[in-house]
């Protein structure tokens, strides 16, 4: 599968001919000025929670592409009111088999209000199982003991974890999270975008290395291939 980074917590994943897009936030991200959101492909958009920095470009991209948005029930109702035609409402603990693979919604310790103040339900993370690989997209979350359940539930080949601190867990807790989920291949997200979450890249990578894990900090606009 191909993974492309669009900045902050936004990733595009191409797997089995389908395009998944996670937490679209490009227009208001100064670091993503080089990304043209009108060129991003999406068959599915997965939204972890309602905060602006995860949903800002969701309506426009969903309308242009006709993508189905996978999200909490409360967010799906809100998106429909904004003119999004296709949503698949889910909630924590639930799983569903899509044509690209299986999605299981897991606990994220965070909050979830939509940009206009509407309640967004519970924030979530996603475990995605495909023919090529299984991965965990944590969304915005604190370190939580619930992550141990993920490690016991499935072999996760790689994981997207927030590492910017202040609003989510930081580097040290993300290292513990990667132990809980039993995964050594981590892709960092939710860092550098705002003043509160700027990180030292060299220090972050070496801290993971010292813990026997590998942290990838993808340049915005770059693509990597995973088996
Ligand atoms: Ni958030
Ligand atoms: Mn956030």
């Amino acid at each position: 599968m191909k993974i492309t980074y669009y900045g902050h917590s936004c990733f595009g994943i191409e797997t089995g001919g389908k395009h998944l897009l996670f937490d679209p936030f490009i227009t208001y991200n100064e670091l993503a000025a080089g990304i043209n959101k009108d060129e991003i492909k999406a068959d599915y958009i997965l939204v972890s929670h309602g905060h602006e920095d995860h949903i800002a470009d969701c309506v426009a991209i969903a309308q242009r592409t006709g993508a189905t948005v996978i999200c909490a029930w409360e967010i799906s109702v809100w998106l429909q009111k904004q003119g999004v035609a296709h949503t698949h409402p889910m909630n924590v603990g639930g799983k569903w088999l899509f044509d690209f693979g299986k999605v299981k919604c897991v606990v994220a310790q965070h909050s979830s209000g939509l940009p206009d103040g509407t309640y967004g339900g519970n924030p979530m993370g996603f475990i995605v199982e495909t023919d090529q690989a299984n991965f965990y997209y944590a969304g915005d979350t604190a370190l939580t003991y619930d992550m141990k359940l993920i490690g016991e539930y499935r072999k996760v080949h790689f994981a997207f974890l927030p590492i910017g601190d202040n609003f989510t867990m930081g580097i040290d807790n993300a290292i513990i999270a990667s132990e809980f989920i039993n995964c050594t291949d981590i892709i960092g997200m939710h860092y550098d975008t705002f003043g509160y979450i700027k990180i030292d890249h060299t220090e972050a990578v070496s801290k993971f290395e010292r813990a026997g894990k590998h942290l990838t900090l993808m340049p915005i606009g770059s693509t990597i291939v995973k088996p």
Side-chain angles (χ1 to χ4, degrees):
M1 62 180 66
K2 265 195 209 165
I3 304 166
T4 302
Y5 187 39
Y6 297 117
H8 201 49
S9 295
C10 182
F11 294 86
I13 296 188
E14 190 185 338
T15 176
K18 299 289 175 187
H19 291 87
L20 317 185
L21 182 66
F22 290 79
D23 285 6
F25 174 70
I26 295 145
T27 303
Y28 304 122
N29 182 1
E30 287 171 17
L31 301 182
I35 303 295
N36 182 356
K37 76 168 184 350
D38 298 324
E39 287 176 356
I40 295 174
K41 292 179 185 167
D43 296 300
Y44 295 91
I45 303 173
L46 292 87
V47 174
S48 65
H49 65 296
H51 290 158
E52 170 105 312
D53 59 318
H54 299 261
I55 204 170
D57 292 309
C58 181
V59 172
I61 296 174
Q63 286 178 337
R64 175 178 55 80
T65 59
T68 297
V69 184
I70 301 169
C71 58
W73 164 260
E74 290 81 355
I75 294 175
S76 81
V77 172
W78 184 83
L79 286 172
Q80 283 167 9
K81 285 182 186 155
Q82 316 295 311
V84 172
H86 309 290
T87 61
H88 184 107
M90 296 186 74
N91 213 329
V92 182
K95 66 175 182 305
W96 188 260
L97 180 61
F98 294 90
D99 58 2
F100 61 86
K102 204 183 282 178
V103 173
K104 185 175 175 70
C105 300
V106 295
V107 167
Q109 278 289 359
H110 193 63
S111 57
S112 182
L114 287 151
D116 63 3
T118 303
Y119 172 61
N122 286 316
M124 307 194 294
F126 302 108
I127 299 170
V128 180
E129 292 174 65
T130 75
D131 291 342
Q132 295 170 294
N134 304 332
F135 63 89
Y136 167 48
Y137 178 92
D140 279 7
T141 182
L143 174 66
T144 159
Y145 226 61
D146 288 306
M147 289 168 178
K148 288 206 165 197
L149 292 171
I150 295 169
E152 290 167 14
Y153 173 69
R154 279 295 179 274
K155 175 62 196 163
V156 169
H157 298 98
F158 60 94
F160 301 88
L161 300 181
I163 56 171
D165 223 322
N166 192 76
F167 297 112
T168 67
M169 60 187 175
I171 292 150
D172 295 331
N173 281 1
I175 290 169
I176 298 171
S178 61
E179 271 158 32
F180 283 1
I181 62 173
N182 196 19
C183 177
T184 55
D185 187 1
I186 305 301
I187 298 169
M189 63 180 183
H190 215 271
Y191 62 92
D192 284 358
T193 318
F194 326 112
Y196 292 122
I197 61 174
K198 293 215 189 307
I199 65 159
D200 181 326
H201 290 210
T202 311
E203 187 192 10
V205 169
S206 69
K207 274 188 167 179
F208 270 80
E209 209 171 276
R210 285 202 293 276
K213 324 257 179 231
H214 184 74
L215 175 68
T216 302
L217 300 177
M218 293 176 65
I220 295 172
S222 70
T223 298
I224 55 175
V225 178
K226 294 273 184 195

